[in-house]
Amino acid sequence: MKFSKDFKRQMVPEWIEAYVDYDGLKRILREILHYNLSKKRETPLKSLEKKLSLHRTLSGLHRHTNGDVENQVTREGREIEIEFFRKLDEELNKINTFYKEQIEVVMDESTLLNKQLDALIALRLKVRSSCSNGACSPEHQGVEMGSLNSSSEVEMSEHRALEVSSNSLSGSEITDVILQGINQDDESTSVLENNTIVKSNGRPEEVGNNSTNQQGDPLEILERVKIRNTLESPLDTIKGVFKDSKHDDLCFKKDELKKVEAKLRLAFIEFYQKLRLVKQYSFMNLSALSKIMKSYEKITSRREARLYMKKIDNSYIGSSDEVNNLLERVEATFIKHFSNSNIQKGMKSLRPKTKKEKHSVTFWSGCFSGFSAALLIAVALRIETKKLMEKEGASYTVNIFPLYSIFAYIVLHLLIYAADIYFWRRFKINYPFIFGFKPGTELSYREVFLLGTGLAVLSLSCFLGNLYLDLGSTTQRYKTLTGLFPLGLVAIVMIILFCPFNIIYRSTRFFFIKSLFRCLCAPLYKVTLPDFFLADHVTSQVTAIRSLDLYICYYGLGERSQRESKCHGHGIYNVLYFAVPVIPFWLRFLQCIRRLFEEKEAMHGYSSVNYLLTIVAAIIRTICELKKGMAWMVLALVSSSVVVIVATYWDIVFDWGLLRRHSKNPYLRDKLLVPYKSVYFAAMALDVVLRIAWMQLVLEFKLHSLHRMAITTVVSCLEITRRGIWSFFRIENEHLNNVGKYRAFKSVPLPFNYDEEEEESSKDD
């Protein structure tokens, strides 16, 4: 693989603008190469030029014309090289500045993690002492004593292997030291090796030598510390509402210790990943500059390349070693404090294996696609031969088709999501980071496509079997059994979804279940992007969710045997018929309210009004559908029109960040990842058209060639398609926001809050 391709592939997507402009430098080198080649072509004429020059000199006609031309050509070549080195200096300064900023960030974060680890060790000691005094229950005592078997001196000294002297190695002083050419390996930094601290002078220092006499009593730290309540669970949220946080002093309990350890463990893992990305950034940029200078030396055969490489080696990014030191210290600290000194287990947590594509996924995707196409044709032929779309079979279609259509909507959603993933990857949108997937657990578009086609085969098989057994002349005795086909299909899907075994992408299934549960519990959970992103998608599945009403009617209210439209005679069904279309928008409304109170941004308040209008429109539309009055029709038309206008504007302007009049790309935005501007204009036009198509559910135009059920299905599929288009541009806009802020890491909430931190935050307020 060429270096340029590997260089682009290894880039941190959010830092693309901070990397060396490798293509720009190569372009200037090509200009130098073309200039040198043009000079070489003129070489055979030099002997003739010398003869002409001698002849002109002897004849007294020499006008120095040839010398002027040579000077002009030489000047042009020098100007190209001057431009090259000017560009090279700009790029070196750019990566130096960015690298310094990242080093300052990780140094500050390492200081915070040191303080957090101090508090964790003190909390462990406190819990240990309470357990030794008999305050713990027997089952907790063994666990706590096992995890706290080291002495306070060992704990407090070993974690100092992570600590960096910020007084001597941070900020502008670091820059001064690097610029003066001082090697950081000569500093008195220490690395943890085999339970000893080895100093740079080669003399090991035992861990126990750094006693608590120099640091004071470690338990005194707890007097200045509170456990930070991030309101991550419903119980925490309820306590936060009815309890004054100012009087919520830290109560050290055994249950708190596990939560604190889990949070701090996650913080260390995220910090380690950040260090690895910073190191990778340094390595790739230095490699790019090295490749550029080798190409320059090969083209020009000059020694300036070696001199400039010395300049690069002496620069901040070339000589800084803080990241390597921090990586070693984090590894040692994490293995000791969070992996029970198990090196293999600790490194597995810090460095998860990269996911590899499997050929079996592609094979089975192709098989399931072929099976789905064959089954779909068989279903269509069966419906046509039995004339189920005509009046004779309309009653059967209305009652049986919604039971299976829910799976059709889910399959379509999965296929469109697979297409989104394909285009996100193609345009280098870092969707795993945006959604917060665990490294190596995100699904590729092939795997999502496999799930969609697999579900299509399963549902189409059940549907086709239902049609044959229900409508066959010799299979009437199986009619009772076929009524259980839809319920059995739901049971199979739910068993697969909640299966606790590590099969069929367990981590992704559990991530989906967790996000869905957080959506259902809104606003008791802190709202994250996966939560409101999933809630927005659920709002596009209203027709599918409404199909669940028929399952309740048929299997809960005993209407399965009749297969007739008698569900509206039940009060419970009517209540659900009103509530189901409203619930997704209500959950989204509650999420906006939660974000409004937490983030104090008016934008979330405006968004909540948008969803409130949608709720009103959905209720009026349902009443209009049941009562069929002209007044209700007008109200439904007006409310739905307002919702369409507001929602379309919100999609394009706020979710996609488009329609910027004064941007570099008129009526789009400054930065675009798709190279064709027409794609954005087409997406905006399509969003408007598909939003208006949704109005068909209100207006109910009479289309004699299509059954009402078919019209509803088509409109619902169009809405799912619109949501898929919305998803691509929504995540693209989120990615560009991260790129603009160079935000490539998750912000992990730390478990402890120091008193001085509260004082600083109050001063800032």
Side-chain angles (χ1 to χ4, degrees), residues 263-476:
K263 287 182 180 179
L264 198 53
R265 185 178 188 274
L266 182 62
F268 267 86
I269 292 175
E270 190 64 26
F271 181 62
Y272 186 79
Q273 300 306 321
K274 183 182 298 187
L275 292 173
R276 290 184 69 190
L277 288 184
V278 174
K279 181 180 178 180
Q280 182 187 8
Y281 171 84
S282 171
F283 173 76
M284 294 305 299
N285 280 290
L286 292 175
S287 300
L289 292 176
S290 176
K291 288 279 185 182
I292 288 292
M293 296 314 299
K294 285 180 181 178
S295 300
Y296 174 81
E297 186 176 15
K298 185 177 180 181
I299 292 171
T300 61
S301 302
R302 293 183 180 176
R303 300 182 61 185
E304 284 86 345
R306 299 179 184 179
L307 296 175
Y308 202 90
M309 281 307 301
K310 289 182 180 179
K311 178 180 178 181
I312 294 173
D313 293 338
N314 293 329
S315 66
Y316 186 84
I317 192 171
S319 59
S320 175
D321 202 30
E322 288 91 343
V323 173
N324 289 329
N325 291 335
L326 271 178
L327 280 169
E328 293 174 355
R329 293 165 189 161
V330 171
E331 289 172 1
T333 304
F334 186 87
I335 290 169
K336 177 61 184 176
H337 293 284
F338 299 100
S339 300
N340 294 326
S341 299
N342 188 327
I343 297 177
Q344 185 176 4
K345 180 181 176 183
M347 295 309 296
K348 186 178 179 181
S349 299
L350 290 173
R351 297 183 181 180
K353 293 182 179 179
T354 56
K355 191 175 182 180
K356 296 181 180 179
E357 296 286 346
K358 297 181 180 178
H359 296 293
S360 59
V361 173
T362 306
F363 172 78
W364 285 112
S365 296
C367 289
F368 288 154
S369 299
F371 294 155
S372 300
L375 288 169
L376 192 60
I377 293 172
V379 168
L381 292 174
R382 188 66 176 175
I383 291 174
E384 182 63 27
T385 54
K386 294 298 180 177
K387 299 180 179 180
L388 295 181
M389 299 305 294
E390 298 179 5
K391 291 185 178 180
E392 293 81 4
S395 177
Y396 179 84
T397 305
V398 169
N399 287 278
I400 196 66
F401 185 75
L403 298 177
Y404 290 99
S405 64
I406 181 174
F407 299 102
Y409 298 139
I410 295 173
V411 168
L412 178 62
H413 220 129
L414 286 172
L415 296 180
I416 292 177
Y417 179 59
D420 282 335
I421 292 176
Y422 172 79
F423 286 109
W424 286 333
R425 286 195 172 185
R426 180 175 178 180
F427 296 109
K428 293 181 173 50
I429 296 173
N430 194 2
Y431 73 94
F433 167 70
I434 293 173
F435 288 128
F437 293 137
K438 239 182 182 178
T441 62
E442 70 278 4
L443 297 186
S444 66
Y445 69 92
R446 290 188 180 91
E447 291 169 319
V448 177
F449 185 80
L450 174 64
L451 291 176
T453 53
L455 181 59
V457 170
L458 184 62
S459 55
L460 284 171
S461 300
C462 289
F463 188 33
L464 185 61
N466 203 332
L467 290 177
Y468 269 97
L469 294 178
D470 255 353
L471 303 176
S473 57
T474 60
T475 57
Q476 291 296 320

Side-chain angles (χ1 to χ4, degrees), residues 39-92:
K39 285 182 63 179
K40 287 182 180 180
R41 293 193 194 101
E42 298 172 1
T43 305
L45 300 175
K46 283 187 177 180
S47 59
L48 179 60
E49 289 175 358
K50 287 182 179 179
K51 291 179 181 180
L52 290 173
S53 177
L54 179 62
H55 174 71
R56 287 169 182 165
T57 304
L58 293 173
S59 61
L61 298 175
H62 187 50
R63 298 286 186 273
H64 301 284
T65 307
N66 201 34
D68 294 340
V69 172
E70 288 181 359
N71 291 335
Q72 183 179 357
V73 173
T74 306
R75 196 181 308 116
E76 289 177 0
R78 287 177 179 174
E79 286 178 357
I80 297 174
E81 294 192 30
I82 289 172
E83 180 187 356
F84 170 74
F85 280 102
R86 187 187 299 117
K87 175 75 172 176
L88 203 58
D89 285 338
E90 290 176 359
E91 296 302 316
L92 181 59

Side-chain angles (χ1 to χ4, degrees), residues 661-675:
R661 292 173 57 188
H662 303 292
S663 67
K664 297 177 183 178
N665 305 296
Y667 295 100
L668 297 177
R669 61 169 109 85
D670 291 338
K671 296 179 182 178
L672 303 174
L673 295 181
V674 181

Side-chain angles (χ1 to χ4, degrees), residues 718-752:
L718 290 176
E719 169 59 20
I720 294 172
T721 305
R722 186 200 65 80
R723 182 59 66 182
I725 297 171
W726 173 89
S727 299
F728 173 81
F729 293 103
R730 176 67 182 86
I731 299 301
E732 181 205 23
N733 191 35
E734 185 70 22
H735 174 76
L736 290 175
N737 290 335
N738 291 340
V739 170
K741 300 175 182 177
Y742 297 108
R743 188 168 52 203
F745 316 106
K746 292 187 294 184
S747 58
V748 180
L750 297 175
F752 296 106

Side-chain angles (χ1 to χ4, degrees), residues 500-514:
F501 303 111
N502 192 13
I503 57 173
I504 314 179
Y505 309 117
R506 181 180 64 177
S507 60
T508 302
R509 289 188 285 110
F510 285 6
F511 184 89
F512 171 77
I513 293 170
K514 180 181 177 182

